[in-house]
Amino acid sequence: MLFKNLWEKTKENLELFWFLKEENCLLCGSHQGPICTACQSAYFLPDAARCFSCGKLVAADKEQCRDCRDGKGPKGLTKTTALGHYTGAWKEFIQKVKFKGQPYLLASVTEYITAWAVKNLPPPDGVVPVPMHFSRLRERGFNQAEALASLLSRHLGIEYMPVLVRIRDTVPQAALNRKERLQNLQGAFQVQTGIKLEGKSLWLVDDVTTTGATLGECAGELLGKGAVNVYAICLAAGKEE
Amino acid sequence: MLFYIVIENNSSLCFSPVPEVDRLGSCCTKYLSPGLPLGLLEKYLERIIKHQKQFTDVLAVEREIKDLITRGLKKDGIEIPEDPEWKNVQGEPVVHDEELFGEFCRKVRGRQLAEGEIRFLAEELGIDLKQVQELMQKAVKGGLGSWIPAVKREESGWRCQRCGETNLEEWPGLYGIVRSCKSCASLGSLNSLQVLFRMGGGVLDRDKKAARQEPLDFEDKNLSRVEAWGIEDGHSRKGGPFRLTAAQLKAAADLRDYVSAGKQRQTLLWAACGAGKTEVCFPAVEYALKNRWTVLYAAPRQDVIHEVVPRLERNFPGVKLLVLSGALPLRFESGLFTAATTHQVLRFYNAFDLIVFDEMDAYPYYGSKALKWGLFQALKAGGKIIYLTATPTREILERVKQGYCKLVRLPARHHRRPLPVPEWHRISSKGLACFNTHQIKELAAVLEELAADGPLLLFVPKVSLVKDWVGVLRGIFKDKKIDGSWSSDPDRRKKIINFTRGFYDIFVATMILERGITVRGVQTVVLYADHELFDERALVQMAGRTGRSAEQPGGRVLFLAGRQTEAMKKAVNWIEEQNRIALREGLIDKLI
């Protein structure tokens, strides 16, 4: 029995060794993984700029999206950036992670998100995940933002700081318009009692951002407890046409 | 989906995602809040559920359960802000529309549903998710269905309950380590926090009665005996059911006898390539359907299913055929007759009395533990499987030898001519590989001679060689139409149709054309026949492309290689053996 187990393990490891580089693309299935260059350029749009307030993908010569220029964007964030455009196969991938119970898939995209974060944001004192209300966490069994934040923390050797709690269960943001989103979130987050963040610079991590309302609300709470800079990083954001 | 432990009527226990359904009339029903994944509840309460389904001292049981759960959570380091607490089920008991429940039962009979699939069922029934969960719980309470953790710990370790996979992806979650199955993730990922809902596969008594009263359209007295399926010339009557040739009839009778009275659970129909094995099963299928057995026609690949469906519909008119493949949207219906790819078979549990499994040796079934597990899971206890293949695997031949599986042979094609036996032409594969001029000249002469008898189909072992050889051959035969294809070729379908219509003189392909294609008068050549990718089964399938049509039943098959491998020898032996059996049984007129 022991020998059989050992043999199975060896076989598995050998397969890993041989096929590590032959993994298929997670998004299109072609023979170049974890994400092929065609999908990277289609969904990550490395040449497009990101709106520094809300993270939305904007034309290369712009710094901010129209909404943020008009003062409708989130407040309090020093800079926001998103790895890719929330569309097509990248959107499906994130939904698999989130709604189909496959958070382990995030491990395969760590290299892309860490590289993007390091390139676009200054080093922080800690990574803070956007929290999920307990009633939802209980149903789902995990929080994808926590999974992502802990991957970033582990890969970059930055302290993992799950300091925020969601004290009110809110309606999912996806169902609401911009104004409703902002109202929906008021007072929904809180920094855990007894936590002090004086002088800290933090990365706030979430899976997807649309208007940036959630990120803004969380940033406000963190700044209220003494943080000096809050940067936000997400897997995906919308794109300004 | 979260589950609760429920105490009904102060006397019995059950697990439920919707405690409201478990409320019986005005009886007191209590549930322990908060809800937990079913796998955890089962783990913590295993002992009590096993021994105390019925009890009298309700307070003691309540205390014990609360205690077990609190201790279990603590031991596993699971932090939940709510303390376990017994609550009374509030509100009016759920009353179900019996007609709706009947429709639900019909739709999910013999199925296993993942949580993610419930919403499709809800849409079909025109109700919401919660209502479907209520119907499911009602079925569970009535003994018609069951809930099981989708990935569950068994004595030997964790296992996906849909596909049997034990090599699972582990990740940390709120409830400790979660196990996800990647093997059947193409049907929607399953993990140990989720459940499967399984519904019994027996035809409900009421339906059975109704079915017996309504005769099936094809139930024609003339077809009640196997012989009635046959006529002299082997052509199907226009508009009518298919007719079997003498060779097919013999095998068909054997299969039907096996289905009606055989002892073994499995039987293998080993047919010659192009002998019409699908139709040979029809009398057995007919027998099963007449007895109101549930029948599944399964194959590993979508195109086989899509190609066979019209033939099944034509031969069994009036029987509703449910078709499931990855190319079609998920539908919930159930009937006597289903056709599905082996992946889709994973959606069934204990559902079929008879499974006809075509191309059992083809990818992706061959070598997949998950799909094999699924097939046996979909078979009812006491159900039977007929495997169809021209090239059985070593494994199933071994089972035949040991007596676990019965063997039926169909050694001849309908035109009474023997299968062409491959000839080995010695030509160095090394020379071919580097396009040595001398070798190419020799090859050109061989091909020239063959091409006089009909279009040439050239098999090569690698995709890159298709393009190379198309180029080389175009250089040699300037006046011939030459092209080639491989699995990821975007024009594959179009080119193959053109080839079957006689548009090309020479067609180069990888093993994609090894199965299922018929081109009149085609001569087959296997280049690099000694390549390790070409096992005896691939070689027999490739050789089987020649001589299929009644108009041109002859033709040649050439293996071009510098040496004769075991696989090449075996392929020749297999084909010669089929011919010998056919001659002995009077199914062909002569060996050459």
Side-chain angles (χ1 to χ4, degrees), chain B residues 411-467:
Chain B
R413 290 172 173 166
H414 55 85
H415 50 54
R416 300 186 63 83
R417 291 282 299 272
L419 302 168
V421 178
E423 306 156 42
W424 171 38
H425 187 96
R426 190 195 290 261
I427 186 162
S428 147
S429 292
K430 236 186 200 162
L432 286 178
C434 57
F435 306 107
N436 171 315
T437 341
H438 176 70
Q439 299 277 5
I440 300 277
K441 264 189 193 156
E442 191 187 333
L443 176 73
V446 174
L447 296 185
E448 185 84 78
E449 189 196 326
L450 266 188
D453 295 329
L456 295 187
L457 175 55
L458 262 74
F459 285 104
V460 290
K462 283 194 295 190
V463 174
S464 58
L465 287 171
V466 174
K467 286 181 197 159

Side-chain angles (χ1 to χ4, degrees), chain B residues 15 77 196 208 330 353-354 370 452 477 481 494 511 523:
Chain B
F15 294 125
L196 282 175
K208 210 165 192 171
L330 181 61
D353 297 294
L354 174 65
F477 303 106
K481 284 200 212 82
K494 201 175 85 196
M511 284 193 283
Q523 314 289 311

